[in-house]
Amino acid sequence: MPISWTNLGVSLILVIVIPEIVLYYRNRFKKRSETSSDHMNEVMFFTDKGLDCKEHVYSRLTCLKESCAYRNLRRLIQLVEEATSSLDICMFFFTCQDLSEAIISVHRKGVRVRVITDAEMADGRGTQIPELRKYGVPVRMKKSVSLMHHKFIIINNHMLVSGSCNWTMKAFTENWENILVTSVPNLVMPFSHHFSQLWKEFSELDYKFQV
Ligand SMILES: [Zn+2]
């Protein structure tokens, strides 16, 4: 049977063109999926009803409330414990004992931990700063009329945790607060750079004896 040009054209389309189109769209979809899953993004919200979840303090059960203060706190502790090379903390006021213990534990494993805080709040009621220093965690601050009001941490120079709340149980359980967790380099790197600048500018002196 003679091969017509029409049949040959249809065969070429079926054998060559269609697989190319399928491959193109498959790769395009794969690339998009990889881009969205390459980076971790997460948000946490805290509300004024945090104390309603008080029974979850020591419970490892998953609470169904998205804004469960204790679930969020456990997640923060987990993020701190993920530090294997470095942990940079820039926190205005820090009184949360559970997070302090997690930081000390990470520090004792040999992770490079650096803490920047506000000079006045370092001496605030319930502050964990003396406890961190007792275990040799380097802490820097600067005597100033301005506040060191940041609340962010950088884990392994790769993950940024930033938001509105101080690391206090009041903030976690009684305030409306937010925390954003991201590994997007365009967001992590400027924070890392800013932390380095503050680390150079601030000192390890304890200003409470100098005011
Ligand atoms: Zn809960």
Side-chain angles (χ1 to χ4, degrees):
M1 193 175 78
I3 300 171
S4 75
W5 286 110
T6 310
N7 284 345
L8 189 63
V10 170
S11 301
L12 280 174
I13 287 171
L14 286 173
V15 174
I16 299 172
V17 180
I18 289 180
E20 281 297 316
I21 292 171
V22 170
L23 197 65
Y24 170 78
Y25 279 102
R26 201 174 64 181
N27 286 340
R28 200 173 151 182
F29 176 75
K30 195 177 163 199
K31 199 172 175 187
R32 191 182 295 165
S33 308
E34 280 171 359
T35 305
S36 59
S37 63
D38 270 355
H39 305 300
M40 206 273 277
N41 289 307
E42 199 178 312
V43 290
M44 293 179 219
F45 291 102
F46 299 82
T47 73
D48 62 330
K49 304 283 191 300
L51 288 173
D52 290 355
C53 272
K54 208 166 183 181
E55 70 272 23
H56 300 141
V57 178
Y58 301 109
S59 162
R60 292 280 154 185
L61 294 172
T62 303
C63 177
L64 294 177
K65 279 187 196 168
E66 277 200 13
S67 60
C68 174
Y70 299 97
R71 188 174 75 168
N72 286 343
L73 179 56
R74 281 202 299 275
R75 178 67 182 131
L76 282 175
I77 292 168
Q78 186 186 32
L79 285 164
V80 165
E81 289 172 345
E82 280 176 15
T84 51
S85 57
S86 66
L87 177 62
D88 292 330
I89 297 167
C90 205
M91 191 59 56
F92 175 65
F93 190 34
F94 181 11
T95 64
C96 178
Q97 196 178 338
D98 288 343
L99 280 163
S100 177
E101 285 170 4
I103 291 165
I104 290 164
S105 163
V106 159
H107 167 71
R108 293 177 87 173
K109 283 179 189 162
V111 173
R112 186 195 65 173
V113 180
R114 300 184 293 181
V115 176
I116 288 173
T117 192
D118 182 79
E120 201 171 330
M121 297 313 285
D123 198 26
R125 192 176 171 197
T127 176
Q128 287 292 319
I129 297 301
E131 190 69 5
L132 294 177
R133 282 186 150 155
K134 193 173 91 183
Y135 284 91
V137 176
V139 179
R140 292 192 181 183
M141 57 190 81
K142 183 178 183 177
K143 185 181 177 184
S144 171
V145 290
S146 301
L147 304 178
M148 199 313 292
H149 209 226
H150 286 308
K151 294 109 182 165
F152 72 87
I153 75 169
I154 304 159
I155 301 148
N156 299 331
N157 213 27
H158 167 75
M159 188 87 72
L160 169 70
V161 180
S162 180
S164 63
C165 64
N166 287 303
W167 278 4
T168 69
M169 287 315 291
K170 178 172 168 46
F172 295 143
T173 60
E174 296 178 44
N175 296 347
W176 289 279
E177 307 271 9
N178 72 81
I179 290 178
L180 171 70
V181 185
T182 180
S183 65
V184 174
N186 285 349
L187 295 172
V188 179
M189 284 306 114
F191 275 83
S192 177
H193 182 64
H194 186 64
F195 187 93
S196 298
Q197 283 180 325
L198 293 182
W199 191 252
K200 279 183 201 152
E201 188 183 334
F202 288 20
S203 90
E204 291 193 4
L205 292 175
D206 190 342
Y207 286 108
K208 74 179 174 181
F209 300 114
Q210 300 183 0
V211 175

